[in-house]
Amino acid sequence: MTTELYPPERIGRVREAVAEAGLGAVLLTPGPDLRYVTGYDAKELERLTCLAVPAEGEPFLVVPRLELPAAQESPAGALGIELVPWDETADPYALTAARLPAGPAKVGVADRMWAVMALRFRAALPDAEQVAAGPVLRELRMRKSAAEVAALREAGAAIDRVHRRVPGLLKAGRTEREVARDIADAITAEGHARVDFVIVGSGPNGANPHAEPSDRVIRPGEPVVVDIGGTMPSGYCSDSTRNYCVGEPPAEYRAYYAVLEEAQRASCAAVRPGATPEEVDAAARGVIAAAGHGEHFFHRTGHGIGLESHEDPYIVEGNREPLEPGMAFSIEPGIYPGPHGARIEDIVVCTEDGFEPMNTTEHGLVIVD
C-alpha cells in the first residue's frame, strides 16, 4: 500500500505544478508536504532535511548523514531521486542552493518550515523571492487518490472501534482526565500510530468545542462530548465526535440533540460534485437556525483531512470552490447553549454521485448506565 499511497510519479506532478506556478523550485522540510511527495516521515530536527523540486532539472533530497539510512529505508529511497548527505561541518543551505538551477527568481518554502530555516535559505538565495509552497501542492493534496481514500477509510474504522469502547469508560465519579487517558490508550490499541487529540467535555465543558480534559468529575445526568482523533501508520488521520450521557439527560438537551441530528444529515446530503462548501455549511446552519439555535452554532461545519487533521477544503461560508470527487472533509455541526453542548462529526469523501462516510457508528445519543 505504501507505493500506492506515495507513488513515484507524484514528484513529477509536483514539478509540473512548480513550473505552472512560475517558481524556480519548492523547498520542502519535514512535515506533511514532504511526506505527501516522498512518503518520508522525516524527523523535525535543527539539522536540515530538505527536498528540492526545481521546475527544471532533477529533484534531490538533502539529509544529514546520520539520517541517511532512515531516508534510504523510507519510500523516498525507492523514488529514484538523488539523496544528498551532508556532514556536521557543512552548510546544507549553501549546498542546496548550489545544486538548484542558477538564479531562481522565486522559490516556494514549505508552510511548516521553521522560520530559522527560511531565513537561512533567504541568506543562501539572496536574489530569490520566498513564497509559501502550500498553494502549489494544495490542488494535488486536496483530491485524494483511491489509495488515500482507502487509508482514510481504515482510519475511520479504527476511531469507530474506539468510540465503541467509550461507554465502558464513562462512569459517574470519574474525571474527564481519567476517561481521556483511557481513550488515548484505546486509540493506539486500535491501530493508530499517534494520538492527536482527546476531548472529553462533560456538562458545561461540552459547550466549549475545544475543551481540554480536566479534573472535573463527571456527574449523573450529564451529557459528555467525546471528540477524538489520531494518525495511522499510513500517515492519514482520523477524527470523529459522538455524544454520551451518564444516565438520563435533561429534556432540553434531548430536544436540541434531535435538531443536531437533522442538521448533520442535511449537511451530508448536500455533499456532491459541484456543490460548494458554503452550501454544505448552509445546509446544517439553516436547520439549526430554524430551530432557534443559530447563535449556538458558532464554528464552521467542517475541515479537510488527510495527512493533517485540518487541511483544505474548509466547509465554511465564503468558500465557493466546487467540491470534486476525492475531496475529504468533516461534517461536524454543533449546538452549544451553555449548560451543556453537543457535536456530531463524521469524515466524508465526495464521490462521483454524492458522498461516502468514513465513520459508521450510530449518531444517536448513547446512554451510559
Side-chain angles (χ1 to χ4, degrees), residues 163 206 223-226 240-245 249-265 287-288 291 293 296 333-337 340-346 361-367:
H163 269 296
V224 183
V225 180
V226 176
S240 178
T241 308
R242 294 294 185 261
N243 301 270
Y244 304 85
C245 191
E252 67 272 20
Y253 178 87
R254 278 198 180 276
Y256 73 72
Y257 193 85
V259 173
L260 184 61
E261 287 187 278
E262 181 184 352
Q264 212 265 352
R265 285 193 298 268
V287 171
I288 292 171
H293 287 288
H296 301 143
I335 298 176
Y336 314 99
H340 29 63
R343 179 169 61 259
I344 300 173
E345 177 183 20
D346 290 325
T361 55
E362 291 295 325
H363 294 157
L365 178 66
V366 177
I367 305 296

Side-chain angles (χ1 to χ4, degrees), residues 184-211:
D185 290 343
I187 289 173
T188 54
E190 292 296 350
H192 292 79
R194 184 177 72 239
V195 178
D196 291 336
F197 55 90
V198 177
I199 295 173
V200 178
S202 64
N205 289 344
N208 176 0
H210 284 175

Side-chain angles (χ1 to χ4, degrees), residues 135-151:
V136 178
L137 298 172
R138 177 180 182 273
E139 297 301 311
L140 298 174
R141 285 186 55 187
M142 194 163 52
R143 296 165 179 82
K144 271 57 179 181
S145 66
E148 290 179 284
V149 173

Side-chain angles (χ1 to χ4, degrees), residues 15 18 23-28 48 50-62 82 84 92-109 113 120-122 124-130:
R15 183 163 53 183
V18 171
L23 304 182
V26 293
L27 305 172
L28 305 180
L48 180 71
C50 182
L51 173 71
V53 184
E56 298 180 3
E58 296 300 316
F60 57 93
L61 179 62
V62 174
E82 184 180 3
V84 183
Y93 300 91
L95 172 65
T96 304
R99 296 178 67 92
L100 291 174
K106 186 182 295 187
V107 296
V109 297
M113 184 182 289
R120 291 286 299 274
F121 271 124
R122 183 172 295 174
L125 295 163
D127 297 324
E129 177 188 356
Q130 287 185 355

